[in-house]
Amino acid sequence: MSSTTGFSSYFHFSQVNWANMWSATGETIWMTLFSLVLVGILGILLGLLLFETTGSTNIWARLLHGITALFVNVFRSVPFIILIVLLLPLTKGLVGTIIGPKAALPSLIISAAPFYARMVELAFHEIDHGVIEAAEAMGATRWQIIYKVLLPESSPALVSGITVTGISLIGFTAMAGVIGAGGLGNLAYLDGFQASNNTVTLVATIIILAVVFVCQTVGDLIVNKLDKRVAN
């Protein structure tokens, strides 16, 4: 069996350019963290907007809810690989290029923020309504209810949601790499698949799995720390 296609082809570690591998790892982590921060901010704002306008009798609030819900439903439904191609002109206008790690950011954010927004909205709806009513009875303003009741009470669910979103973003960065966005996905495609170097593909996969494992572990630790139902 050929050494380029047999099982042993996954273990030619001398063919791995480790400098490129660590550089690509850094790009993947940077894309994930940078986009995750913006996704967290936008997702909470969108989720809060959806929560606050749900069931409102005000015509403008209902219109705002409809527009926001349409945006969220559309962009969380479009497959990422299609979205990143669809947004190429916007990406070019925003960051000045359609290749490299920066070029992946608009698509990563626009794809993941609506996904997280629905998690945020659900987290707010799961809060005991009696807690909100008690805050209102004590004269709390709406903004005080948001940052003293909604956000603290839903914090475990918000962190759990951002953890899941972060893991999805890691997968999205790998897909973005196929069209030149850099990172481990791009390295696995160019130096691995196209160069018939299975070892590079294997190592890139293992590193991505390690990043996912770290992300999940950190998220779980924070959730356990925040969750009042878990003994710390």
Side-chain angles (χ1 to χ4, degrees):
M1 184 176 289
S2 171
S3 62
T4 61
T5 58
F7 184 73
S8 63
S9 66
Y10 289 102
F11 304 102
H12 297 163
F13 296 107
S14 61
Q15 298 178 4
V16 177
N17 186 321
W18 292 103
N20 288 346
M21 186 66 69
W22 301 134
S23 176
T25 301
E27 289 177 348
T28 292
I29 293 173
W30 178 82
M31 283 189 288
T32 302
L33 291 178
F34 188 90
S35 58
L36 190 61
V37 170
L38 295 181
V39 164
I41 295 172
L42 290 175
I44 289 176
L45 291 176
L46 288 171
L48 181 61
L49 187 59
L50 289 169
F51 175 78
E52 289 294 317
T53 55
T54 297
S56 175
T57 56
N58 183 285
I59 184 64
W60 298 110
R62 293 173 63 182
L63 178 62
L64 184 58
H65 180 87
I67 294 173
T68 306
L70 179 64
F71 171 81
V72 168
N73 290 337
V74 167
F75 283 99
R76 75 178 183 138
S77 301
V78 179
F80 179 74
I81 195 66
I82 295 176
L83 182 65
I84 197 171
V85 175
L86 180 66
L87 295 180
L88 285 179
L90 175 63
T91 299
K92 177 69 173 178
L94 288 176
V95 301
T97 181
I98 59 172
I99 60 174
K102 288 195 301 182
L105 295 179
S107 299
L108 289 171
I109 295 167
I110 292 175
S111 177
F115 175 76
Y116 183 51
R118 282 301 185 188
M119 292 187 175
V120 171
E121 181 192 15
L122 181 61
F124 289 159
H125 278 297
E126 289 181 345
I127 296 174
D128 186 355
H129 195 66
V131 177
I132 299 176
E133 290 178 341
E136 291 174 341
M138 289 187 291
T141 65
R142 198 62 204 172
W143 286 112
Q144 288 175 325
I145 291 174
I146 289 171
Y147 70 81
K148 289 186 177 181
V149 178
L150 291 181
L151 293 176
E153 289 292 324
S154 63
S155 58
L158 295 180
V159 173
S160 179
I162 202 67
T163 301
V164 172
T165 305
I167 292 172
S168 296
L169 281 171
I170 295 169
F172 289 165
T173 64
M175 285 188 279
V178 176
I179 62 170
L184 289 167
N186 185 245
L187 186 72
Y189 180 70
L190 294 180
D191 292 5
F193 175 72
Q194 289 197 335
S196 297
N197 190 335
N198 293 333
T199 307
V200 169
T201 304
L202 175 65
V203 172
T205 302
I206 291 173
I207 294 175
I208 289 175
L209 290 174
V211 173
V212 168
F213 177 79
V214 170
C215 180
Q216 185 68 65
T217 301
V218 171
D220 289 344
L221 289 174
I222 296 174
V223 169
N224 291 336
K225 191 71 175 178
L226 294 173
D227 197 338
K228 299 174 184 177
R229 297 167 298 179
V230 178
N232 294 317

mmCIF file of all heavy atoms in Angstrom, residues 140-190:
data_model
loop_
_atom_site.group_PDB
_atom_site.id
_atom_site.type_symbol
_atom_site.label_atom_id
_atom_site.label_comp_id
_atom_site.label_asym_id
_atom_site.label_seq_id
_atom_site.Cartn_x
_atom_site.Cartn_y
_atom_site.Cartn_z
ATOM 1 N N ALA A 140 -37.482 48.861 41.431
ATOM 2 C CA ALA A 140 -36.331 48.806 40.529
ATOM 3 C C ALA A 140 -36.719 49.257 39.131
ATOM 4 O O ALA A 140 -37.802 48.932 38.641
ATOM 5 C CB ALA A 140 -35.768 47.384 40.472
ATOM 6 N N THR A 141 -35.830 50.027 38.492
ATOM 7 C CA THR A 141 -36.072 50.440 37.113
ATOM 8 C C THR A 141 -35.792 49.262 36.188
ATOM 9 O O THR A 141 -35.245 48.233 36.611
ATOM 10 C CB THR A 141 -35.156 51.608 36.722
ATOM 11 O OG1 THR A 141 -33.786 51.157 36.736
ATOM 12 C CG2 THR A 141 -35.308 52.771 37.687
ATOM 13 N N ARG A 142 -36.172 49.419 34.922
ATOM 14 C CA ARG A 142 -35.969 48.314 33.978
ATOM 15 C C ARG A 142 -34.484 48.002 33.813
ATOM 16 O O ARG A 142 -34.093 46.844 33.724
ATOM 17 C CB ARG A 142 -36.591 48.677 32.622
ATOM 18 C CG ARG A 142 -36.813 47.458 31.724
ATOM 19 C CD ARG A 142 -37.787 46.494 32.389
ATOM 20 N NE ARG A 142 -37.622 45.120 31.907
ATOM 21 C CZ ARG A 142 -38.226 44.069 32.419
ATOM 22 N NH1 ARG A 142 -39.024 44.212 33.452
ATOM 23 N NH2 ARG A 142 -38.030 42.869 31.928
ATOM 24 N N TRP A 143 -33.643 49.044 33.771
ATOM 25 C CA TRP A 143 -32.212 48.809 33.627
ATOM 26 C C TRP A 143 -31.638 48.119 34.858
ATOM 27 O O TRP A 143 -30.746 47.280 34.747
ATOM 28 C CB TRP A 143 -31.473 50.121 33.364
ATOM 29 C CG TRP A 143 -31.674 50.632 31.974
ATOM 30 C CD1 TRP A 143 -32.355 51.736 31.587
ATOM 31 C CD2 TRP A 143 -31.200 50.010 30.771
ATOM 32 N NE1 TRP A 143 -32.348 51.858 30.212
ATOM 33 C CE2 TRP A 143 -31.639 50.812 29.679
ATOM 34 C CE3 TRP A 143 -30.454 48.858 30.493
ATOM 35 C CZ2 TRP A 143 -31.365 50.510 28.357
ATOM 36 C CZ3 TRP A 143 -30.169 48.553 29.175
ATOM 37 C CH2 TRP A 143 -30.618 49.365 28.119
ATOM 38 N N GLN A 144 -32.141 48.474 36.040
ATOM 39 C CA GLN A 144 -31.688 47.805 37.260
ATOM 40 C C GLN A 144 -32.092 46.341 37.259
ATOM 41 O O GLN A 144 -31.323 45.478 37.705
ATOM 42 C CB GLN A 144 -32.262 48.520 38.485
ATOM 43 C CG GLN A 144 -31.639 49.874 38.762
ATOM 44 C CD GLN A 144 -32.305 50.599 39.903
ATOM 45 O OE1 GLN A 144 -33.523 50.497 40.090
ATOM 46 N NE2 GLN A 144 -31.536 51.363 40.671
ATOM 47 N N ILE A 145 -33.276 46.055 36.752
ATOM 48 C CA ILE A 145 -33.721 44.666 36.654
ATOM 49 C C ILE A 145 -32.820 43.887 35.704
ATOM 50 O O ILE A 145 -32.472 42.725 35.964
ATOM 51 C CB ILE A 145 -35.192 44.605 36.185
ATOM 52 C CG1 ILE A 145 -36.116 45.136 37.276
ATOM 53 C CG2 ILE A 145 -35.579 43.170 35.809
ATOM 54 C CD1 ILE A 145 -37.566 45.256 36.847
ATOM 55 N N ILE A 146 -32.404 44.547 34.614
ATOM 56 C CA ILE A 146 -31.560 43.866 33.628
ATOM 57 C C ILE A 146 -30.214 43.485 34.226
ATOM 58 O O ILE A 146 -29.791 42.322 34.145
ATOM 59 C CB ILE A 146 -31.365 44.754 32.378
ATOM 60 C CG1 ILE A 146 -32.683 44.830 31.593
ATOM 61 C CG2 ILE A 146 -30.243 44.198 31.492
ATOM 62 C CD1 ILE A 146 -32.660 45.838 30.460
ATOM 63 N N TYR A 147 -29.520 44.468 34.858
ATOM 64 C CA TYR A 147 -28.166 44.144 35.302
ATOM 65 C C TYR A 147 -28.074 43.631 36.739
ATOM 66 O O TYR A 147 -27.015 43.142 37.152
ATOM 67 C CB TYR A 147 -27.209 45.329 35.083
ATOM 68 C CG TYR A 147 -27.423 46.538 35.968
ATOM 69 C CD1 TYR A 147 -26.931 46.574 37.266
ATOM 70 C CD2 TYR A 147 -28.067 47.670 35.491
ATOM 71 C CE1 TYR A 147 -27.101 47.692 38.071
ATOM 72 C CE2 TYR A 147 -28.250 48.794 36.285
ATOM 73 C CZ TYR A 147 -27.755 48.800 37.576
ATOM 74 O OH TYR A 147 -27.934 49.920 38.364
ATOM 75 N N LYS A 148 -29.187 43.693 37.485
ATOM 76 C CA LYS A 148 -29.166 43.155 38.842
ATOM 77 C C LYS A 148 -29.968 41.865 38.999
ATOM 78 O O LYS A 148 -29.820 41.158 39.993
ATOM 79 C CB LYS A 148 -29.682 44.195 39.833
ATOM 80 C CG LYS A 148 -28.724 45.356 40.055
ATOM 81 C CD LYS A 148 -29.224 46.283 41.162
ATOM 82 C CE LYS A 148 -28.225 47.399 41.448
ATOM 83 N NZ LYS A 148 -28.669 48.306 42.544
ATOM 84 N N VAL A 149 -30.844 41.591 38.023
ATOM 85 C CA VAL A 149 -31.670 40.383 38.101
ATOM 86 C C VAL A 149 -31.434 39.474 36.899
ATOM 87 O O VAL A 149 -30.996 38.326 37.048
ATOM 88 C CB VAL A 149 -33.171 40.731 38.221
ATOM 89 C CG1 VAL A 149 -34.010 39.444 38.245
ATOM 90 C CG2 VAL A 149 -33.445 41.561 39.469
ATOM 91 N N LEU A 150 -31.730 39.981 35.692
ATOM 92 C CA LEU A 150 -31.662 39.137 34.500
ATOM 93 C C LEU A 150 -30.263 38.565 34.277
ATOM 94 O O LEU A 150 -30.099 37.344 34.130
ATOM 95 C CB LEU A 150 -32.109 39.935 33.272
ATOM 96 C CG LEU A 150 -33.589 40.325 33.186
ATOM 97 C CD1 LEU A 150 -33.858 41.092 31.893
ATOM 98 C CD2 LEU A 150 -34.480 39.089 33.256
ATOM 99 N N LEU A 151 -29.274 39.432 34.223
ATOM 100 C CA LEU A 151 -27.915 38.955 33.922
ATOM 101 C C LEU A 151 -27.345 38.065 35.027
ATOM 102 O O LEU A 151 -26.822 36.974 34.725
ATOM 103 C CB LEU A 151 -27.000 40.140 33.643
ATOM 104 C CG LEU A 151 -27.307 40.928 32.355
ATOM 105 C CD1 LEU A 151 -26.397 42.143 32.218
ATOM 106 C CD2 LEU A 151 -27.173 40.035 31.124
ATOM 107 N N PRO A 152 -27.432 38.453 36.311
ATOM 108 C CA PRO A 152 -26.897 37.558 37.355
ATOM 109 C C PRO A 152 -27.632 36.222 37.441
ATOM 110 O O PRO A 152 -26.997 35.165 37.578
ATOM 111 C CB PRO A 152 -27.082 38.372 38.639
ATOM 112 C CG PRO A 152 -27.138 39.793 38.197
ATOM 113 C CD PRO A 152 -27.838 39.756 36.867
ATOM 114 N N GLU A 153 -28.957 36.257 37.365
ATOM 115 C CA GLU A 153 -29.735 35.029 37.519
ATOM 116 C C GLU A 153 -29.521 34.055 36.356
ATOM 117 O O GLU A 153 -29.624 32.839 36.523
ATOM 118 C CB GLU A 153 -31.222 35.358 37.638
ATOM 119 C CG GLU A 153 -31.623 36.014 38.945
ATOM 120 C CD GLU A 153 -31.490 35.071 40.130
ATOM 121 O OE1 GLU A 153 -31.755 33.871 39.962
ATOM 122 O OE2 GLU A 153 -31.114 35.546 41.220
ATOM 123 N N SER A 154 -29.247 34.595 35.185
ATOM 124 C CA SER A 154 -29.078 33.741 33.999
ATOM 125 C C SER A 154 -27.610 33.463 33.679
ATOM 126 O O SER A 154 -27.322 32.815 32.669
ATOM 127 C CB SER A 154 -29.738 34.401 32.782
ATOM 128 O OG SER A 154 -29.103 35.636 32.475
ATOM 129 N N SER A 155 -26.696 33.937 34.514
ATOM 130 C CA SER A 155 -25.267 33.827 34.194
ATOM 131 C C SER A 155 -24.782 32.406 33.918
ATOM 132 O O SER A 155 -23.993 32.199 32.979
ATOM 133 C CB SER A 155 -24.421 34.483 35.290
ATOM 134 O OG SER A 155 -24.670 33.897 36.551
ATOM 135 N N PRO A 156 -25.230 31.374 34.673
ATOM 136 C CA PRO A 156 -24.769 30.021 34.318
ATOM 137 C C PRO A 156 -25.189 29.609 32.907
ATOM 138 O O PRO A 156 -24.399 29.037 32.153
ATOM 139 C CB PRO A 156 -25.435 29.136 35.380
ATOM 140 C CG PRO A 156 -25.679 30.050 36.532
ATOM 141 C CD PRO A 156 -26.023 31.363 35.913
ATOM 142 N N ALA A 157 -26.444 29.918 32.551
ATOM 143 C CA ALA A 157 -26.928 29.573 31.215
ATOM 144 C C ALA A 157 -26.221 30.399 30.146
ATOM 145 O O ALA A 157 -25.940 29.896 29.052
ATOM 146 C CB ALA A 157 -28.438 29.794 31.127
ATOM 147 N N LEU A 158 -25.912 31.657 30.455
ATOM 148 C CA LEU A 158 -25.215 32.506 29.489
ATOM 149 C C LEU A 158 -23.804 31.978 29.225
ATOM 150 O O LEU A 158 -23.344 31.950 28.075
ATOM 151 C CB LEU A 158 -25.145 33.952 29.998
ATOM 152 C CG LEU A 158 -26.475 34.696 30.148
ATOM 153 C CD1 LEU A 158 -26.227 36.112 30.653
ATOM 154 C CD2 LEU A 158 -27.235 34.723 28.826
ATOM 155 N N VAL A 159 -23.113 31.569 30.276
ATOM 156 C CA VAL A 159 -21.756 31.028 30.110
ATOM 157 C C VAL A 159 -21.796 29.693 29.385
ATOM 158 O O VAL A 159 -20.964 29.421 28.511
ATOM 159 C CB VAL A 159 -21.060 30.883 31.480
ATOM 160 C CG1 VAL A 159 -19.716 30.171 31.326
ATOM 161 C CG2 VAL A 159 -20.857 32.254 32.116
ATOM 162 N N SER A 160 -22.775 28.856 29.731
ATOM 163 C CA SER A 160 -22.926 27.576 29.041
ATOM 164 C C SER A 160 -23.179 27.805 27.558
ATOM 165 O O SER A 160 -22.612 27.108 26.695
ATOM 166 C CB SER A 160 -24.071 26.781 29.663
ATOM 167 O OG SER A 160 -24.258 25.548 28.997
ATOM 168 N N GLY A 161 -24.023 28.786 27.252
ATOM 169 C CA GLY A 161 -24.322 29.097 25.860
ATOM 170 C C GLY A 161 -23.126 29.621 25.102
ATOM 171 O O GLY A 161 -22.896 29.248 23.950
ATOM 172 N N ILE A 162 -22.339 30.489 25.739
ATOM 173 C CA ILE A 162 -21.170 31.046 25.050
ATOM 174 C C ILE A 162 -20.099 29.966 24.871
ATOM 175 O O ILE A 162 -19.315 30.012 23.921
ATOM 176 C CB ILE A 162 -20.601 32.267 25.812
ATOM 177 C CG1 ILE A 162 -19.766 33.146 24.858
ATOM 178 C CG2 ILE A 162 -19.772 31.850 26.997
ATOM 179 C CD1 ILE A 162 -20.536 33.817 23.775
ATOM 180 N N THR A 163 -20.090 28.981 25.766
ATOM 181 C CA THR A 163 -19.154 27.858 25.609
ATOM 182 C C THR A 163 -19.507 27.041 24.367
ATOM 183 O O THR A 163 -18.632 26.710 23.558
ATOM 184 C CB THR A 163 -19.176 26.956 26.851
ATOM 185 O OG1 THR A 163 -18.825 27.718 28.006
ATOM 186 C CG2 THR A 163 -18.204 25.794 26.695
ATOM 187 N N VAL A 164 -20.789 26.723 24.229
ATOM 188 C CA VAL A 164 -21.245 25.979 23.046
ATOM 189 C C VAL A 164 -20.975 26.795 21.776
ATOM 190 O O VAL A 164 -20.521 26.261 20.757
ATOM 191 C CB VAL A 164 -22.748 25.663 23.162
ATOM 192 C CG1 VAL A 164 -23.284 25.058 21.871
ATOM 193 C CG2 VAL A 164 -23.002 24.725 24.330
ATOM 194 N N THR A 165 -21.229 28.094 21.853
ATOM 195 C CA THR A 165 -20.996 28.964 20.706
ATOM 196 C C THR A 165 -19.514 29.010 20.358
ATOM 197 O O THR A 165 -19.142 29.000 19.179
ATOM 198 C CB THR A 165 -21.510 30.385 20.997
ATOM 199 O OG1 THR A 165 -22.885 30.325 21.381
ATOM 200 C CG2 THR A 165 -21.377 31.271 19.779
ATOM 201 N N GLY A 166 -18.663 29.073 21.388
ATOM 202 C CA GLY A 166 -17.222 29.087 21.147
ATOM 203 C C GLY A 166 -16.742 27.831 20.437
ATOM 204 O O GLY A 166 -15.908 27.894 19.531
ATOM 205 N N ILE A 167 -17.270 26.693 20.836
ATOM 206 C CA ILE A 167 -16.909 25.431 20.185
ATOM 207 C C ILE A 167 -17.371 25.437 18.729
ATOM 208 O O ILE A 167 -16.664 24.967 17.833
ATOM 209 C CB ILE A 167 -17.504 24.249 20.965
ATOM 210 C CG1 ILE A 167 -16.806 24.128 22.324
ATOM 211 C CG2 ILE A 167 -17.368 22.948 20.178
ATOM 212 C CD1 ILE A 167 -17.429 23.123 23.258
ATOM 213 N N SER A 168 -18.570 25.984 18.486
ATOM 214 C CA SER A 168 -19.044 26.104 17.105
ATOM 215 C C SER A 168 -18.132 27.018 16.293
ATOM 216 O O SER A 168 -17.842 26.743 15.123
ATOM 217 C CB SER A 168 -20.473 26.656 17.088
ATOM 218 O OG SER A 168 -21.370 25.769 17.714
ATOM 219 N N LEU A 169 -17.664 28.096 16.911
ATOM 220 C CA LEU A 169 -16.772 29.030 16.215
ATOM 221 C C LEU A 169 -15.457 28.359 15.829
ATOM 222 O O LEU A 169 -14.901 28.653 14.766
ATOM 223 C CB LEU A 169 -16.500 30.249 17.105
ATOM 224 C CG LEU A 169 -17.594 31.311 17.154
ATOM 225 C CD1 LEU A 169 -17.288 32.338 18.234
ATOM 226 C CD2 LEU A 169 -17.741 31.999 15.798
ATOM 227 N N ILE A 170 -14.962 27.483 16.677
ATOM 228 C CA ILE A 170 -13.729 26.761 16.346
ATOM 229 C C ILE A 170 -13.940 25.943 15.078
ATOM 230 O O ILE A 170 -13.090 25.921 14.183
ATOM 231 C CB ILE A 170 -13.299 25.856 17.513
ATOM 232 C CG1 ILE A 170 -12.924 26.710 18.728
ATOM 233 C CG2 ILE A 170 -12.112 24.982 17.102
ATOM 234 C CD1 ILE A 170 -12.732 25.907 20.008
ATOM 235 N N GLY A 171 -15.095 25.282 14.994
ATOM 236 C CA GLY A 171 -15.417 24.532 13.774
ATOM 237 C C GLY A 171 -15.591 25.442 12.582
ATOM 238 O O GLY A 171 -15.171 25.116 11.466
ATOM 239 N N PHE A 172 -16.194 26.613 12.789
ATOM 240 C CA PHE A 172 -16.377 27.569 11.699
ATOM 241 C C PHE A 172 -15.028 28.067 11.174
ATOM 242 O O PHE A 172 -14.860 28.260 9.964
ATOM 243 C CB PHE A 172 -17.209 28.758 12.168
ATOM 244 C CG PHE A 172 -18.664 28.444 12.403
ATOM 245 C CD1 PHE A 172 -19.476 29.320 13.106
ATOM 246 C CD2 PHE A 172 -19.235 27.262 11.935
ATOM 247 C CE1 PHE A 172 -20.814 29.042 13.326
ATOM 248 C CE2 PHE A 172 -20.569 26.963 12.152
ATOM 249 C CZ PHE A 172 -21.364 27.864 12.849
ATOM 250 N N THR A 173 -14.057 28.302 12.070
ATOM 251 C CA THR A 173 -12.744 28.772 11.614
ATOM 252 C C THR A 173 -12.071 27.724 10.726
ATOM 253 O O THR A 173 -11.369 28.079 9.774
ATOM 254 C CB THR A 173 -11.816 29.096 12.800
ATOM 255 O OG1 THR A 173 -11.544 27.908 13.556
ATOM 256 C CG2 THR A 173 -12.415 30.151 13.707
ATOM 257 N N ALA A 174 -12.306 26.454 11.039
ATOM 258 C CA ALA A 174 -11.736 25.393 10.205
ATOM 259 C C ALA A 174 -12.353 25.416 8.812
ATOM 260 O O ALA A 174 -11.655 25.261 7.803
ATOM 261 C CB ALA A 174 -11.956 24.039 10.867
ATOM 262 N N MET A 175 -13.673 25.619 8.733
ATOM 263 C CA MET A 175 -14.341 25.705 7.432
ATOM 264 C C MET A 175 -13.892 26.941 6.664
ATOM 265 O O MET A 175 -13.695 26.897 5.448
ATOM 266 C CB MET A 175 -15.855 25.711 7.613
ATOM 267 C CG MET A 175 -16.446 24.365 7.955
ATOM 268 S SD MET A 175 -18.260 24.385 7.924
ATOM 269 C CE MET A 175 -18.609 25.092 9.517
ATOM 270 N N ALA A 176 -13.724 28.056 7.383
ATOM 271 C CA ALA A 176 -13.288 29.289 6.741
ATOM 272 C C ALA A 176 -11.891 29.132 6.151
ATOM 273 O O ALA A 176 -11.547 29.767 5.143
ATOM 274 C CB ALA A 176 -13.307 30.441 7.743
ATOM 275 N N GLY A 177 -11.083 28.269 6.763
ATOM 276 C CA GLY A 177 -9.733 28.053 6.265
ATOM 277 C C GLY A 177 -9.685 27.474 4.870
ATOM 278 O O GLY A 177 -8.721 27.677 4.132
ATOM 279 N N VAL A 178 -10.740 26.778 4.476
ATOM 280 C CA VAL A 178 -10.781 26.161 3.143
ATOM 281 C C VAL A 178 -10.763 27.215 2.037
ATOM 282 O O VAL A 178 -10.266 26.973 0.945
ATOM 283 C CB VAL A 178 -12.026 25.252 3.008
ATOM 284 C CG1 VAL A 178 -12.149 24.689 1.603
ATOM 285 C CG2 VAL A 178 -11.957 24.119 4.023
ATOM 286 N N ILE A 179 -11.297 28.417 2.332
ATOM 287 C CA ILE A 179 -11.281 29.464 1.311
ATOM 288 C C ILE A 179 -10.267 30.558 1.652
ATOM 289 O O ILE A 179 -10.410 31.713 1.255
ATOM 290 C CB ILE A 179 -12.680 30.079 1.110
ATOM 291 C CG1 ILE A 179 -13.185 30.749 2.383
ATOM 292 C CG2 ILE A 179 -13.664 29.057 0.621
ATOM 293 C CD1 ILE A 179 -14.436 31.560 2.151
ATOM 294 N N GLY A 180 -9.235 30.181 2.411
ATOM 295 C CA GLY A 180 -8.104 31.076 2.602
ATOM 296 C C GLY A 180 -8.151 31.973 3.807
ATOM 297 O O GLY A 180 -7.468 33.005 3.835
ATOM 298 N N ALA A 181 -8.919 31.601 4.839
ATOM 299 C CA ALA A 181 -9.028 32.464 6.018
ATOM 300 C C ALA A 181 -7.931 32.213 7.045
ATOM 301 O O ALA A 181 -7.934 32.810 8.115
ATOM 302 C CB ALA A 181 -10.394 32.285 6.680
ATOM 303 N N GLY A 182 -7.005 31.342 6.741
ATOM 304 C CA GLY A 182 -5.915 31.077 7.674
ATOM 305 C C GLY A 182 -6.315 30.095 8.755
ATOM 306 O O GLY A 182 -7.407 29.525 8.748
ATOM 307 N N GLY A 183 -5.406 29.897 9.709
ATOM 308 C CA GLY A 183 -5.686 28.993 10.809
ATOM 309 C C GLY A 183 -5.426 27.537 10.476
ATOM 310 O O GLY A 183 -4.911 27.195 9.399
ATOM 311 N N LEU A 184 -5.817 26.668 11.385
ATOM 312 C CA LEU A 184 -5.559 25.237 11.232
ATOM 313 C C LEU A 184 -6.344 24.630 10.079
ATOM 314 O O LEU A 184 -5.875 23.695 9.434
ATOM 315 C CB LEU A 184 -5.900 24.514 12.536
ATOM 316 C CG LEU A 184 -4.929 24.778 13.697
ATOM 317 C CD1 LEU A 184 -5.516 24.289 15.010
ATOM 318 C CD2 LEU A 184 -3.585 24.106 13.429
ATOM 319 N N GLY A 185 -7.545 25.150 9.813
ATOM 320 C CA GLY A 185 -8.328 24.640 8.695
ATOM 321 C C GLY A 185 -7.631 24.879 7.372
ATOM 322 O O GLY A 185 -7.583 23.997 6.506
ATOM 323 N N ASN A 186 -7.082 26.073 7.216
ATOM 324 C CA ASN A 186 -6.357 26.409 5.995
ATOM 325 C C ASN A 186 -5.094 25.563 5.854
ATOM 326 O O ASN A 186 -4.783 25.078 4.761
ATOM 327 C CB ASN A 186 -6.006 27.899 6.019
ATOM 328 C CG ASN A 186 -5.356 28.364 4.731
ATOM 329 O OD1 ASN A 186 -4.198 28.758 4.718
ATOM 330 N ND2 ASN A 186 -6.099 28.343 3.643
ATOM 331 N N LEU A 187 -4.381 25.364 6.961
ATOM 332 C CA LEU A 187 -3.158 24.553 6.929
ATOM 333 C C LEU A 187 -3.483 23.103 6.600
ATOM 334 O O LEU A 187 -2.788 22.470 5.792
ATOM 335 C CB LEU A 187 -2.453 24.634 8.284
ATOM 336 C CG LEU A 187 -1.082 23.955 8.351
ATOM 337 C CD1 LEU A 187 -0.058 24.769 7.580
ATOM 338 C CD2 LEU A 187 -0.631 23.792 9.795
ATOM 339 N N ALA A 188 -4.550 22.572 7.219
ATOM 340 C CA ALA A 188 -4.926 21.179 6.953
ATOM 341 C C ALA A 188 -5.338 20.988 5.500
ATOM 342 O O ALA A 188 -5.070 19.938 4.910
ATOM 343 C CB ALA A 188 -6.068 20.766 7.883
ATOM 344 N N TYR A 189 -5.945 22.006 4.921
ATOM 345 C CA TYR A 189 -6.395 21.902 3.527
ATOM 346 C C TYR A 189 -5.234 22.038 2.548
ATOM 347 O O TYR A 189 -5.087 21.208 1.637
ATOM 348 C CB TYR A 189 -7.443 22.969 3.238
ATOM 349 C CG TYR A 189 -7.967 22.937 1.819
ATOM 350 C CD1 TYR A 189 -8.779 21.891 1.375
ATOM 351 C CD2 TYR A 189 -7.647 23.950 0.916
ATOM 352 C CE1 TYR A 189 -9.251 21.855 0.080
ATOM 353 C CE2 TYR A 189 -8.118 23.920 -0.389
ATOM 354 C CZ TYR A 189 -8.918 22.876 -0.801
ATOM 355 O OH TYR A 189 -9.375 22.838 -2.098
ATOM 356 N N LEU A 190 -4.397 23.064 2.738
ATOM 357 C CA LEU A 190 -3.318 23.325 1.785
ATOM 358 C C LEU A 190 -2.133 22.376 1.977
ATOM 359 O O LEU A 190 -1.698 21.701 1.035
ATOM 360 C CB LEU A 190 -2.833 24.779 1.909
ATOM 361 C CG LEU A 190 -3.832 25.863 1.500
ATOM 362 C CD1 LEU A 190 -3.225 27.246 1.681
ATOM 363 C CD2 LEU A 190 -4.287 25.675 0.055
#
